[in-house]
Amino acid sequence: MIIRKGTSNDMPAVLELIKELAVYEKEPEAVVVTVEDLVRDGFGEKPLFYTFIAEVDEKIIGMALYYYRYSTWKGKTIHLEDLIVTESMRGTGAGFKLYKKIIEQGKIDQVRRIEWNVLDWNTPAIDFYEKSGAKVLEDWRLVQMDENKINDFLSQFNT
Protein backbone atom coordinates (compact mmCIF):
# COMPACT_ATOMS: atom_id res chain seq x y z
CA MET A 1 0.00 0.00 0.00
CA ILE A 2 1.25 3.45 -0.96
CA ILE A 3 0.20 6.73 0.64
CA ARG A 4 1.05 9.68 -1.59
CA LYS A 5 0.03 13.24 -2.37
CA GLY A 6 -2.96 13.51 -4.66
CA THR A 7 -2.76 14.85 -8.20
CA SER A 8 -5.37 16.34 -10.51
CA ASN A 9 -5.47 12.99 -12.34
CA ASP A 10 -6.75 11.38 -9.14
CA MET A 11 -9.86 13.55 -8.93
CA PRO A 12 -12.27 11.21 -10.79
CA ALA A 13 -11.46 8.48 -8.25
CA VAL A 14 -11.63 11.00 -5.40
CA LEU A 15 -15.12 12.01 -6.52
CA GLU A 16 -16.21 8.37 -6.53
CA LEU A 17 -14.93 8.01 -2.95
CA ILE A 18 -16.80 11.19 -1.95
CA LYS A 19 -20.00 9.75 -3.42
CA GLU A 20 -19.42 6.47 -1.57
CA LEU A 21 -19.01 8.39 1.69
CA ALA A 22 -22.24 10.31 1.01
CA VAL A 23 -24.10 7.00 0.65
CA TYR A 24 -22.56 5.75 3.92
CA GLU A 25 -23.60 8.98 5.65
CA LYS A 26 -27.15 8.56 4.27
CA GLU A 27 -27.02 11.63 2.00
CA PRO A 28 -26.24 10.32 -1.51
CA GLU A 29 -28.04 13.21 -3.22
CA ALA A 30 -26.00 15.85 -1.36
CA VAL A 31 -22.88 15.62 -3.56
CA VAL A 32 -22.92 18.37 -6.19
CA VAL A 33 -19.16 18.86 -6.61
CA THR A 34 -17.72 17.74 -9.97
CA VAL A 35 -14.33 16.50 -11.11
CA GLU A 36 -13.86 19.89 -12.77
CA ASP A 37 -14.57 21.64 -9.44
CA LEU A 38 -12.04 19.43 -7.66
CA VAL A 39 -9.34 20.01 -10.27
CA ARG A 40 -9.93 23.77 -10.38
CA ASP A 41 -10.14 24.21 -6.61
CA GLY A 42 -7.36 21.85 -5.60
CA PHE A 43 -4.76 22.39 -8.27
CA GLY A 44 -4.92 26.03 -9.33
CA GLU A 45 -2.61 28.87 -8.40
CA LYS A 46 -4.01 29.02 -4.85
CA PRO A 47 -5.25 25.53 -3.94
CA LEU A 48 -8.21 25.43 -1.56
CA PHE A 49 -7.46 21.86 -0.46
CA TYR A 50 -4.88 19.07 -0.56
CA THR A 51 -5.21 15.31 -0.67
CA PHE A 52 -3.38 12.18 0.32
CA ILE A 53 -4.18 9.07 -1.67
CA ALA A 54 -4.08 5.44 -0.55
CA GLU A 55 -3.24 3.14 -3.43
CA VAL A 56 -2.93 -0.63 -3.80
CA ASP A 57 -1.66 -2.12 -7.07
CA GLU A 58 -2.07 1.30 -8.73
CA LYS A 59 -5.76 1.40 -7.72
CA ILE A 60 -6.98 4.25 -5.50
CA ILE A 61 -8.70 2.78 -2.45
CA GLY A 62 -8.86 5.78 -0.13
CA MET A 63 -8.15 9.44 0.35
CA ALA A 64 -7.88 12.19 2.94
CA LEU A 65 -8.82 15.72 1.92
CA TYR A 66 -7.67 18.60 4.11
CA TYR A 67 -7.14 22.36 4.11
CA TYR A 68 -5.66 25.03 6.35
CA ARG A 69 -7.65 27.24 8.68
CA TYR A 70 -6.76 29.89 11.16
CA SER A 71 -7.95 29.88 14.75
CA THR A 72 -8.05 33.15 16.64
CA TRP A 73 -7.07 31.18 19.74
CA LYS A 74 -4.56 28.71 18.32
CA GLY A 75 -3.24 30.11 15.04
CA LYS A 76 -2.65 27.82 12.06
CA THR A 77 -4.72 24.63 12.00
CA ILE A 78 -5.56 21.82 9.60
CA HIS A 79 -9.15 20.86 8.93
CA LEU A 80 -9.54 17.25 7.81
CA GLU A 81 -12.64 17.45 5.64
CA ASP A 82 -12.94 13.77 4.77
CA LEU A 83 -11.04 10.54 5.20
CA ILE A 84 -12.54 7.79 3.07
CA VAL A 85 -11.58 4.20 2.36
CA THR A 86 -13.65 2.25 -0.12
CA GLU A 87 -15.84 -0.31 1.63
CA SER A 88 -14.08 -3.37 0.21
CA MET A 89 -10.74 -2.15 1.62
CA ARG A 90 -11.84 -1.16 5.12
CA GLY A 91 -9.96 -3.03 7.80
CA THR A 92 -6.73 -3.16 5.78
CA GLY A 93 -5.03 -0.34 7.68
CA ALA A 94 -5.52 2.19 4.86
CA GLY A 95 -7.63 4.48 7.05
CA PHE A 96 -5.04 4.44 9.82
CA LYS A 97 -2.24 5.21 7.36
CA LEU A 98 -4.14 8.17 5.91
CA TYR A 99 -4.98 9.41 9.41
CA LYS A 100 -1.32 9.13 10.44
CA LYS A 101 -0.25 10.98 7.29
CA ILE A 102 -2.56 13.91 8.14
CA ILE A 103 -1.12 14.06 11.67
CA GLU A 104 2.42 13.92 10.27
CA GLN A 105 1.54 16.79 7.90
CA GLY A 106 0.29 18.79 10.87
CA LYS A 107 3.60 18.24 12.64
CA ILE A 108 5.58 19.24 9.54
CA ASP A 109 3.48 22.39 9.17
CA GLN A 110 3.70 23.15 12.89
CA VAL A 111 -0.05 23.54 13.27
CA ARG A 112 -1.44 23.85 16.76
CA ARG A 113 -4.56 21.81 16.07
CA ILE A 114 -6.00 19.33 13.61
CA GLU A 115 -9.78 19.21 13.57
CA TRP A 116 -12.57 17.35 11.84
CA ASN A 117 -16.22 16.43 12.24
CA VAL A 118 -17.74 13.04 12.97
CA LEU A 119 -21.40 12.08 12.93
CA ASP A 120 -22.74 11.24 16.38
CA TRP A 121 -23.97 7.81 15.22
CA ASN A 122 -20.59 6.77 13.80
CA THR A 123 -19.44 5.08 17.00
CA PRO A 124 -16.62 3.03 15.40
CA ALA A 125 -15.01 6.26 14.17
CA ILE A 126 -15.60 8.04 17.49
CA ASP A 127 -14.04 5.14 19.39
CA PHE A 128 -11.05 5.10 17.05
CA TYR A 129 -10.49 8.85 17.36
CA GLU A 130 -10.73 8.79 21.15
CA LYS A 131 -8.33 5.83 21.39
CA SER A 132 -5.86 7.75 19.21
CA GLY A 133 -5.87 10.65 21.66
CA ALA A 134 -8.31 12.96 19.88
CA LYS A 135 -10.98 14.73 21.91
CA VAL A 136 -14.56 14.53 20.61
CA LEU A 137 -16.25 17.76 21.67
CA GLU A 138 -19.79 17.29 22.97
CA ASP A 139 -20.62 20.92 23.63
CA TRP A 140 -20.08 22.45 20.18
CA ARG A 141 -22.63 22.38 17.38
CA LEU A 142 -21.79 22.48 13.69
CA VAL A 143 -23.51 25.39 11.94
CA GLN A 144 -24.01 25.53 8.18
CA MET A 145 -25.80 27.70 5.65
CA ASP A 146 -26.37 26.14 2.23
CA GLU A 147 -26.38 27.98 -1.10
CA ASN A 148 -30.15 28.53 -1.09
CA LYS A 149 -30.09 29.99 2.41
CA ILE A 150 -27.15 32.23 1.49
CA ASN A 151 -29.21 33.62 -1.38
CA ASP A 152 -32.31 33.96 0.83
CA PHE A 153 -30.35 35.83 3.50
CA LEU A 154 -28.74 38.22 1.04
CA SER A 155 -32.00 38.93 -0.79
CA GLN A 156 -33.64 39.69 2.54
CA PHE A 157 -30.91 41.97 3.89
CA ASN A 158 -29.45 43.57 0.75
CA THR A 159 -31.48 46.73 0.42
Coordinates of all heavy atoms in Angstrom, one line a residue, residues 86-122:
T86 N -12.6 3.0 0.5 CA -13.7 2.3 -0.1 C -14.0 1.0 0.7 O -13.2 0.4 1.4 CB -13.3 1.9 -1.6 OG1 -14.5 1.5 -2.3 CG2 -12.2 0.8 -1.6
E87 N -15.3 0.7 0.7 CA -15.8 -0.3 1.6 C -15.1 -1.6 1.6 O -14.8 -2.2 2.6 CB -17.3 -0.5 1.4 CG -18.0 -1.4 2.4 CD -19.5 -1.6 2.2 OE1 -20.0 -1.1 1.1 OE2 -20.1 -2.1 3.1
S88 N -14.7 -2.1 0.4 CA -14.1 -3.4 0.2 C -12.7 -3.4 0.8 O -12.1 -4.5 1.0 CB -14.0 -3.8 -1.3 OG -13.2 -2.9 -2.0
M89 N -12.1 -2.2 1.1 CA -10.7 -2.2 1.6 C -10.7 -1.7 3.1 O -9.6 -1.5 3.6 CB -9.9 -1.2 0.7 CG -9.7 -1.8 -0.7 SD -8.9 -3.4 -0.7 CE -7.2 -3.0 -0.2
R90 N -11.8 -1.5 3.7 CA -11.8 -1.2 5.1 C -11.3 -2.3 5.9 O -11.5 -3.5 5.6 CB -13.3 -0.8 5.6 CG -13.7 0.5 4.9 CD -15.0 1.0 5.4 NE -15.4 2.1 4.5 CZ -16.6 2.3 4.1 NH1 -17.6 1.6 4.5 NH2 -16.9 3.3 3.2
G91 N -10.6 -2.0 7.0 CA -10.0 -3.0 7.8 C -8.6 -3.5 7.3 O -8.0 -4.3 7.9
T92 N -8.1 -2.8 6.3 CA -6.7 -3.2 5.8 C -5.6 -2.3 6.3 O -4.5 -2.5 6.0 CB -6.7 -3.0 4.2 OG1 -6.9 -1.6 3.9 CG2 -7.7 -3.9 3.6
G93 N -6.0 -1.3 7.1 CA -5.0 -0.3 7.7 C -4.9 0.9 6.9 O -4.2 1.8 7.2
A94 N -5.6 1.0 5.7 CA -5.5 2.2 4.9 C -6.0 3.4 5.6 O -5.4 4.5 5.5 CB -6.3 2.0 3.6
G95 N -7.1 3.3 6.3 CA -7.6 4.5 7.0 C -6.6 5.0 8.1 O -6.4 6.2 8.2
F96 N -6.0 4.1 8.8 CA -5.0 4.4 9.8 C -3.9 5.1 9.2 O -3.4 6.1 9.7 CB -4.6 3.2 10.6 CG -3.5 3.6 11.6 CD1 -3.9 4.1 12.9 CD2 -2.2 3.4 11.4 CE1 -2.9 4.5 13.8 CE2 -1.2 3.8 12.3 CZ -1.6 4.3 13.5
K97 N -3.4 4.6 8.0 CA -2.2 5.2 7.4 C -2.5 6.6 6.9 O -1.7 7.5 6.9 CB -1.8 4.3 6.2 CG -1.1 3.1 6.7 CD -0.6 2.2 5.6 CE 0.1 0.9 6.2 NZ 0.6 0.1 5.2
L98 N -3.7 6.8 6.3 CA -4.1 8.2 5.9 C -4.2 9.1 7.1 O -3.8 10.3 7.0 CB -5.5 8.1 5.1 CG -5.4 7.5 3.7 CD1 -6.8 7.2 3.2 CD2 -4.7 8.5 2.8
Y99 N -4.8 8.6 8.2 CA -5.0 9.4 9.4 C -3.6 9.8 9.9 O -3.4 11.0 10.3 CB -5.7 8.5 10.4 CG -6.1 9.2 11.8 CD1 -7.0 10.1 11.9 CD2 -5.4 8.7 12.9 CE1 -7.4 10.7 13.1 CE2 -5.7 9.2 14.2 CZ -6.7 10.2 14.2 OH -7.0 10.7 15.5
K100 N -2.7 8.9 10.0 CA -1.3 9.1 10.4 C -0.6 10.1 9.5 O 0.1 11.0 10.0 CB -0.5 7.8 10.5 CG 0.9 8.0 11.0 CD 1.6 6.6 11.2 CE 3.0 6.7 11.7 NZ 4.0 6.8 10.6
K101 N -0.9 10.0 8.2 CA -0.3 11.0 7.3 C -0.7 12.4 7.5 O 0.1 13.4 7.5 CB -0.5 10.5 5.9 CG 0.3 11.3 4.8 CD 1.7 10.8 4.9 CE 2.5 11.4 3.7 NZ 3.9 11.1 3.8
I102 N -2.0 12.6 7.8 CA -2.6 13.9 8.1 C -1.9 14.5 9.4 O -1.5 15.6 9.5 CB -4.1 13.9 8.3 CG1 -4.8 13.6 7.0 CG2 -4.6 15.1 9.0 CD1 -4.7 14.7 6.0
I103 N -1.7 13.6 10.4 CA -1.1 14.1 11.7 C 0.4 14.4 11.4 O 0.9 15.4 11.9 CB -1.3 13.0 12.8 CG1 -2.8 12.9 13.1 CG2 -0.5 13.3 14.0 CD1 -3.2 11.7 14.0
E104 N 1.0 13.6 10.6 CA 2.4 13.9 10.3 C 2.5 15.3 9.5 O 3.4 16.1 9.8 CB 3.0 12.8 9.4 CG 3.3 11.5 10.2 CD 3.7 10.4 9.2 OE1 3.5 10.5 8.0 OE2 4.1 9.3 9.8
Q105 N 1.6 15.5 8.6 CA 1.5 16.8 7.9 C 1.3 17.9 8.9 O 2.0 19.0 8.7 CB 0.4 16.8 6.8 CG 0.5 18.0 5.9 CD 1.7 18.0 5.0 OE1 2.1 17.0 4.4 NE2 2.4 19.1 5.0
G106 N 0.5 17.8 9.9 CA 0.3 18.8 10.9 C 1.6 19.1 11.6 O 1.9 20.2 11.9
K107 N 2.3 18.1 11.9 CA 3.6 18.2 12.6 C 4.6 19.0 11.8 O 5.3 19.9 12.2 CB 4.1 16.9 13.1 CG 5.4 16.9 13.8 CD 5.2 17.4 15.2 CE 6.5 17.3 16.0 NZ 6.5 18.0 17.3
I108 N 4.7 18.6 10.5 CA 5.6 19.2 9.5 C 5.2 20.7 9.4 O 6.1 21.6 9.4 CB 5.5 18.6 8.1 CG1 6.1 17.2 8.2 CG2 6.2 19.4 7.1 CD1 5.8 16.3 7.0
D109 N 3.9 21.0 9.3 CA 3.5 22.4 9.2 C 3.4 23.2 10.5 O 3.0 24.3 10.4 CB 2.1 22.4 8.5 CG 2.2 21.9 7.1 OD1 3.2 22.0 6.4 OD2 1.1 21.4 6.6
Q110 N 3.7 22.5 11.6 CA 3.7 23.2 12.9 C 2.3 23.8 13.2 O 2.3 24.9 13.8 CB 4.8 24.2 13.0 CG 6.2 23.6 12.8 CD 7.3 24.6 12.9 OE1 7.1 25.8 12.8 NE2 8.5 24.1 13.1
V111 N 1.3 23.0 12.9 CA -0.1 23.5 13.3 C -0.3 23.3 14.8 O 0.4 22.4 15.3 CB -1.2 22.9 12.4 CG1 -1.0 23.2 10.9 CG2 -1.3 21.4 12.7
R112 N -1.2 24.0 15.3 CA -1.4 23.9 16.8 C -2.7 23.0 17.0 O -3.0 22.7 18.2 CB -1.6 25.2 17.4 CG -0.3 26.0 17.4 CD -0.3 27.1 18.4 NE 1.0 27.7 18.5 CZ 1.2 29.0 18.1 NH1 0.3 29.7 17.5 NH2 2.4 29.5 18.2
R113 N -3.4 22.7 15.9 CA -4.6 21.8 16.1 C -4.9 21.2 14.7 O -4.7 21.8 13.7 CB -5.7 22.7 16.6 CG -7.0 21.9 16.8 CD -8.1 22.7 17.5 NE -8.6 23.8 16.7 CZ -9.1 24.9 17.1 NH1 -9.2 25.1 18.4 NH2 -9.5 25.8 16.3
I114 N -5.4 20.0 14.8 CA -6.0 19.3 13.6 C -7.4 19.0 14.0 O -7.7 18.5 15.1 CB -5.3 18.0 13.2 CG1 -3.8 18.3 12.9 CG2 -6.0 17.4 12.0 CD1 -2.9 17.1 12.7
E115 N -8.4 19.4 13.2 CA -9.8 19.2 13.6 C -10.6 18.6 12.4 O -10.2 18.7 11.3 CB -10.4 20.6 14.0 CG -10.2 21.6 12.9 CD -10.3 23.0 13.4 OE1 -10.4 23.2 14.6 OE2 -10.3 23.9 12.6
W116 N -11.7 18.0 12.8 CA -12.6 17.3 11.8 C -13.9 17.1 12.5 O -14.0 17.3 13.7 CB -12.0 16.1 11.3 CG -11.7 15.0 12.3 CD1 -12.5 13.9 12.6 CD2 -10.5 14.8 13.1 NE1 -11.9 13.2 13.6 CE2 -10.7 13.7 13.9 CE3 -9.3 15.6 13.2 CZ2 -9.7 13.3 14.8 CZ3 -8.4 15.1 14.1 CH2 -8.5 14.0 14.8
N117 N -14.9 16.7 11.7 CA -16.2 16.4 12.2 C -16.5 14.9 12.1 O -15.9 14.3 11.2 CB -17.3 17.2 11.4 CG -17.1 18.7 11.5 OD1 -16.9 19.2 12.6 ND2 -17.2 19.3 10.4
V118 N -17.3 14.4 13.0 CA -17.7 13.0 13.0 C -19.2 13.0 13.4 O -19.6 13.7 14.3 CB -16.9 12.1 13.9 CG1 -17.0 12.5 15.3 CG2 -17.2 10.7 13.7
L119 N -20.0 12.2 12.6 CA -21.4 12.1 12.9 C -21.6 11.4 14.3 O -20.9 10.4 14.6 CB -22.1 11.3 11.8 CG -22.2 12.1 10.5 CD1 -22.6 11.1 9.4 CD2 -23.2 13.2 10.6
D120 N -22.6 11.8 15.0 CA -22.7 11.2 16.4 C -23.1 9.8 16.4 O -22.9 9.1 17.4 CB -23.7 12.1 17.2 CG -25.1 12.1 16.6 OD1 -25.4 11.5 15.5 OD2 -26.0 12.8 17.2
W121 N -23.6 9.2 15.3 CA -24.0 7.8 15.2 C -22.8 6.9 14.7 O -22.9 5.7 14.8 CB -25.2 7.6 14.3 CG -25.1 8.1 13.0 CD1 -25.7 9.3 12.5 CD2 -24.5 7.5 11.8 NE1 -25.4 9.5 11.2 CE2 -24.7 8.4 10.7 CE3 -23.8 6.4 11.6 CZ2 -24.1 8.1 9.5 CZ3 -23.2 6.1 10.4 CH2 -23.5 7.0 9.3
N122 N -21.7 7.5 14.3 CA -20.6 6.8 13.8 C -19.7 6.4 15.0 O -18.5 6.8 15.1 CB -19.8 7.6 12.7 CG -18.9 6.8 12.0 OD1 -18.5 5.6 12.3 ND2 -18.4 7.4 10.9

